[in-house]
């Protein structure tokens, strides 16, 4: 249950450009409030018994707080990222450098992939979102490096541009007797919905209301699920399925299209 997360203080947080529909550069953001909400998230993880490491925030990279997009780390091996948008490109080498210094074997990305935003480990398989950011070609790289089958899921709603805004892995292995994932069906193409139905017949289907507050952008340790406090339907549903919902307010970071999961990169040794 104990997890290891990498996070980045939103010291330079801003909405200076718009690369997803949540971002409106004309709307003011409160950096102090963002830092405060992020600090609570760190404290929440520590209270749950998790380890948190930090990467130095770099000036001019306002989205660097979203560490989920910095890498994919499975079995101690790191796949680097390559961002779709030039605005975030400089984050990729910074993350790779952090992992190299920390002693991890790393492989730079060839195809565009935005880390755990789109590549979610679910037990033996990797669920890979595509459609807005991560390229199809990234699947092969991830499958080859991690030795796990990669299942492609086609995202169709621009508000849910990363897989981790539309789907949350709750429990890594089947057979727990609980739903293994929660997702918003409407965020996926018809074929991908059928794939999800087939693989996870007992999944929690989130409501539009939950997804609209980025409720699916949640972090589960298999028992406790840290999610936006505004996602009340999902919290109730999780509790009824035997999970413990832990609400956090990330409303300021949501102005950039991010929630708790976006701010959290899982480091799997
Ligand atoms: N503004 C950032 C972007 O559009 C938000 C990233 C959110 N991260 C995530 N894992 N969903 O790239």
């Amino acid at each position: 249950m104990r997890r290891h997360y990498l996070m980045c203080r939103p010291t330079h947080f801003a909405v200076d450009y718009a690369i997803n529909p949540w971002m409106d550069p004309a709307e003011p953001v409160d950096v102090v409030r963002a830092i405060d909400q992020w600090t609570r998230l760190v404290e929440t993880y520590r209270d749950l018994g998790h380890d948190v490491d930090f990467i130095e925030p770099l000036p001019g990279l306002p989205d660097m707080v979203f560490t989920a997009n910095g890498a994919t780390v499975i079995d101690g091996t790191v796949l680097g990222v390559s961002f779709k948008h030039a605005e975030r490109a400089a984050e990729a080498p910074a993350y790779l450098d952090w992992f190299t210094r920390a002693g991890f074997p790393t492989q730079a990305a060839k195809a565009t992939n935005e880390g755990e935003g789109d590549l979610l480990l679910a037990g033996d398989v990797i669920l890979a979102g595509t459609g807005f950011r991560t390229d199809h070609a990234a699947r092969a790289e991830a499958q080859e490096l991690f030795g796990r089958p990669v299942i492609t899921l086609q995202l169709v709603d621009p508000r849910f541009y990363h897989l981790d805004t539309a789907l949350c892995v709750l429990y890594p292995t089947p057979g727990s007797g609980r739903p293994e994932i929660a997702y918003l069906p409407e965020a996926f193409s018809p074929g991908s919905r059928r794939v999800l139905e087939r693989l996870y017949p007992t999944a929690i289907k989130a409501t539009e209301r939950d997804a609209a507050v980025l409720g699916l952008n949640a972090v589960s340790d298999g028992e406790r699920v840290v999610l936006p406090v505004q996602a009340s339907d999902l919290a109730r549903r999780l509790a009824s399925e035997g999970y413990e919902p832990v609400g956090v307010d990330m409303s300021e970071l949501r102005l950039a299209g991010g929630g708790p999961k976006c701010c959290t990169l899982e480091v799997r040794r």
Side-chain angles (χ1 to χ4, degrees):
M1 231 163 55
R2 184 166 183 170
R3 303 293 168 109
H4 182 186
Y5 298 132
L6 179 63
M7 298 179 68
C8 181
R9 191 172 186 268
T11 310
H12 308 291
F13 181 63
V15 178
D16 293 339
Y17 49 79
I19 55 173
N20 71 54
W22 304 81
M23 302 175 87
D24 177 2
E27 202 176 317
V29 300
D30 184 338
V31 183
V32 173
R33 192 157 177 262
I35 293 172
D36 190 53
Q37 293 178 346
W38 175 88
T39 304
R40 282 214 187 151
L41 181 63
V42 175
E43 286 163 4
T44 302
Y45 289 140
R46 289 187 164 152
D47 288 347
L48 293 173
H50 302 315
D51 291 326
V52 185
D53 264 325
F54 302 99
I55 182 171
E56 193 63 33
L58 298 175
L61 296 174
D63 274 333
M64 196 168 167
V65 56
F66 301 119
T67 55
N69 302 124
T72 306
V73 191
I74 301 176
D75 300 332
T77 296
V78 179
L79 176 61
V81 299
S82 170
F83 285 91
K84 166 117 180 169
H85 298 102
E87 289 88 340
R88 298 194 65 183
E91 293 179 43
Y95 280 101
L96 214 54
D97 186 52
W98 189 92
F99 281 103
T100 304
R101 283 164 195 257
F104 287 80
T106 60
Q107 179 177 302
K110 289 187 207 83
T112 300
N113 98 67
E114 298 202 350
E116 283 203 327
D118 278 321
L119 299 172
L120 294 177
L121 180 67
D124 285 337
V125 305
I126 295 168
L127 302 176
T130 190
F132 297 102
R133 300 286 178 92
T134 295
D135 262 8
H136 271 296
R139 289 176 310 177
E141 274 171 60
Q143 177 162 300
E144 201 55 35
L145 185 63
F146 298 123
R148 285 175 167 81
V150 174
I151 293 162
T152 303
L153 299 169
Q154 190 75 38
L155 295 163
V156 296
D157 183 333
R159 287 175 305 159
F160 308 115
Y161 56 94
H162 274 143
L163 182 62
D164 71 358
T165 63
L167 183 150
C168 169
V169 177
L170 299 169
Y171 197 85
T173 41
S176 67
R178 293 188 204 154
E180 289 115 17
I181 66 164
Y183 68 102
L184 179 73
E186 295 82 356
F188 296 91
S189 68
S192 295
R193 283 164 76 157
R194 286 166 58 211
V195 169
L196 289 168
E197 289 277 357
R198 196 181 290 273
L199 288 178
Y200 305 106
T202 61
I204 295 177
K205 289 182 182 157
T207 61
E208 170 71 34
R209 276 203 319 177
D210 289 327
V213 290
L214 287 177
L216 287 160
N217 197 250
V219 179
S220 172
D221 65 10
E223 288 288 333
R224 288 85 51 97
V225 183
V226 177
L227 82 169
V229 68
Q230 295 84 1
S232 44
D233 294 341
L234 184 57
R236 260 192 303 278
R237 187 65 205 284
L238 286 166
S240 78
E241 297 283 1
Y243 290 100
E244 185 191 323
V246 180
V248 288
D249 183 15
M250 303 298 285
S251 47
E252 207 58 32
L253 291 148
R254 197 164 68 222
L255 297 173
K261 169 60 204 159
C262 298
C263 297
T264 311
L265 175 60
E266 186 159 355
V267 181
R268 302 180 185 86
R269 294 259 173 200

